[in-house]
Amino acid sequence: MDEARPEYERIYRVVCQIPRGVVTTYGDVAKIAGGGIDARTVGEALNALPKDRAQEIPWQRVINARGGISTRGMVQRTLLEEEGIAFGADGRTDLRRFGWAGPSPEWCAANGCTPLPPRSDPQAEQLPLF
DNA sequence: CAGATGACTCCCA
DNA sequence: CTGGGAGCCATCT
């Protein structure tokens, strides 16, 4: 039997908090989870994610810091497009529009996680609707 | 215990 | 934009 991996479970819990229609990065998930977890560890956790559990965990909403998909194949991109995520010609998406702001502060407190630092983007308010 | 690997990220040329 | 290199952490040989 595969041993329980508490570090991974915390990562999964954070990913489950990502609402439909938005995406986040490995680094952000790592910061939220905290506890010596970094972007690479998040990737490992999702890679080791069993298929039966992939149905409940929106792993597809986790992408790299460049706004692109690190996985091979079109599976992840297709799933995200189904949720309304738009990709550019280079296969990247605008994190300022589809980027996840992080879980609620109360959730963080209840799960011992760290909320995401507020990124003040003056242009984020002026983003065109298109 | 040491080396290699990976769904990562940042910095610099 | 593209490459190369370093930093980082967990898992497997």
Side-chain angles (χ1 to χ4, degrees), chain A residues 25-108:
Chain A
T25 67
Y26 297 95
D28 285 353
V29 174
K31 287 177 183 174
I32 294 170
I37 295 177
D38 73 330
R40 212 156 208 167
T41 306
V42 174
E44 255 301 298
L46 295 182
N47 181 38
L49 187 64
K51 265 193 174 182
D52 53 324
R53 208 162 294 263
Q55 302 177 45
E56 4 179 321
I57 299 179
W59 59 269
Q60 68 270 24
R61 294 174 192 150
V62 183
I63 61 180
N64 59 41
R66 295 177 183 174
I69 293 179
S70 300
T71 58
R72 290 177 276 164
M74 302 286 292
V75 182
Q76 186 170 9
R77 174 171 174 172
T78 303
L79 287 171
L80 291 176
E81 286 180 332
E82 290 285 319
E83 298 186 356
I85 305 296
F87 287 86
D90 52 359
R92 295 208 281 172
T93 188
D94 191 348
L95 287 174
R96 278 186 303 201
R97 251 190 82 187
F98 301 107
W100 183 37
S104 58
E106 54 204 32
W107 188 93
C108 290

